[in-house]
Amino acid sequence: MNRPPAPGTDPPGPGPDGVDRPLDPGTADGFRRQRQLDVLIPTRNRPAELAVTLAGLAAQEGVAGFGVVVSDQSDGDPAYAHPAAATMVRALRHRGHPVLLTRRLPRRGLAEHRAYLLDASVARYVLCLDDDVWLEPGTLRRLVTAIGELGCGFVGNAVHGLSYVDDVRPQTHRHYEEWAGRPVPERVRPGTPQWQRASIHSAANLLHVTEGLRLPAGVWRAYKVSWVGGCVLYDRAALVDSGGFDFWRRVQRNHQGEDVAAQLAVLERHGGAGVLPSGAYHLESPTTVTERDVEAWEVVLADSPGRV
């Protein structure tokens, strides 16, 4: 039931002129602090999806004080200005998480955008999180625990597509292979058996593999990957040591696969792993990357045939 506000109080939401209260974007200098974890989110033209992504972060527990950077490249108003997204920004700050809101225009490509976000943080770990991924509670704690115990360059949660939950593809399950101990550096390239590991991350394949393992609550497994999309936690020092996303200057603006290029480099120097169960769920919205003239990883590999 809707009730009028108590005497002497203002109703929540927009003021009487219909304009939302201003949202403090924060400052780069104020945000750049030593922390255990920062979450880096690039976004464009996705206010609803961004609100869901931020809501997932706001519900995380067990990783105190992690920061969040949102960098927007929308054609119009920034996605974080939408009331739903703005509310989640305020909820994160209310729960003790610093949030920096920025715009990165003009657009110079996905790799440059990720390089900009990485430079905004000096945290020990950085989570590259796409703007269309919802994380279930407990996901951040599991990822941080995993990378701390494994000591590798990155760990990832491949995203589930729940519209495929009834589409079981057992032929892909054979590519699931657990690490028996700490992940070791690997040189993964197209055309090798290791490259085929990526097929386990399509549709809801990983969800089906997880269900088949019947792991007890709280138990996780590390498995071998070629790359992971959507939700990847890096040891920041390992990512920077491997070149980060600085290769953006070598690729044309209309590219994709920048995350693959970065992970191949980290895999070769520091190793990496997928973590199961995954708490990452793809929102399955239409892509905003419609101009994909080149795969960034192909350009990087062609430029550096001896290594990434």
Side-chain angles (χ1 to χ4, degrees):
M1 178 183 297
N2 291 327
R3 294 185 176 89
T9 65
D10 291 326
D17 58 358
V19 178
D20 289 335
R21 294 179 182 273
L23 181 64
D24 179 9
T27 65
D29 289 343
F31 180 85
R32 223 165 178 267
R33 296 286 186 271
Q34 295 290 337
R35 280 185 290 272
Q36 182 185 34
L37 169 65
D38 282 340
V39 182
L40 315 180
I41 307 174
T43 190
R44 177 175 178 241
N45 299 339
R46 279 181 162 171
E49 291 86 348
L50 179 62
V52 174
T53 299
L54 294 175
L57 290 174
Q60 298 298 311
E61 295 182 344
V63 183
F66 64 83
V68 179
V69 188
V70 179
S71 180
D72 185 277
Q73 294 186 325
S74 296
D75 298 329
D77 292 337
Y80 53 71
H82 187 280
T87 296
M88 290 300 100
V89 169
R90 293 183 173 108
L92 280 159
R93 288 171 171 167
H94 180 68
R95 291 174 60 84
H97 302 291
V99 180
L100 174 64
L101 306 173
T102 70
R103 301 208 75 182
R104 186 63 171 173
L105 295 170
R107 293 185 291 118
R108 298 180 178 89
L110 300 172
E112 191 277 341
H113 202 187
R114 291 200 189 272
Y116 168 75
L117 280 161
L118 180 59
D119 189 58
S121 169
V122 291
R124 179 180 180 184
Y125 301 125
V126 290
L127 177 69
C128 288
L129 183 65
D130 286 356
D131 64 350
D132 58 353
V133 177
W134 176 76
L135 300 183
E136 68 183 11
T139 300
L140 282 191
R141 177 171 52 196
R142 182 165 56 246
L143 286 172
V144 170
T145 299
I147 199 169
E149 293 187 11
L150 296 173
C152 54
F154 74 81
V155 297
N157 265 187
V159 296
H160 305 304
L162 287 180
S163 68
Y164 295 89
V165 72
D166 296 322
D167 181 2
V168 181
R169 306 176 184 183
Q171 71 275 14
T172 69
H173 299 180
R174 62 187 176 88
H175 296 294
Y176 176 76
E177 182 181 358
E178 292 183 2
W179 283 106
R182 174 177 175 174
V184 299
E186 296 183 283
R187 191 172 189 268
V188 177
R189 292 294 185 271
T192 65
Q194 293 90 337
W195 190 257
Q196 300 304 315
R197 298 168 182 168
S199 65
I200 203 172
H201 293 158
S202 299
N205 297 335
L206 190 63
L207 194 65
H208 299 142
V209 169
T210 305
E211 291 171 347
L213 292 175
R214 301 183 184 278
L215 298 176
V219 174
W220 55 271
R221 294 285 185 267
Y223 64 96
K224 299 179 180 182
V225 297
S226 53
W227 59 280
V228 182
C231 178
V232 182
L233 178 66
Y234 294 92
D235 180 306
R236 188 181 187 281
L239 178 57
V240 171
D241 175 65
S242 304
F245 298 94
D246 289 346
F247 57 83
W248 71 266
R249 297 178 179 86
R250 297 151 57 190
V251 298
Q252 64 188 68
R253 193 189 79 169
N254 297 333
H255 64 262
Q256 64 177 1
E258 80 294 341
D259 49 351
V260 180
Q263 288 173 52
L264 291 178
V266 177
L267 273 175
E268 188 164 357
R269 288 194 173 203
H270 302 279
V275 172
L276 176 156
S278 170
Y281 294 82
H282 191 225
L283 300 184
E284 302 189 55
S285 295
T287 182
T288 58
V289 184
T290 56
E291 298 174 325
R292 306 172 178 221
D293 298 341
V294 68
E295 291 281 358
W297 59 266
E298 290 183 337
V299 175
V300 173
L301 292 183
D303 285 350
S304 307
R307 49 166 293 189
V308 175

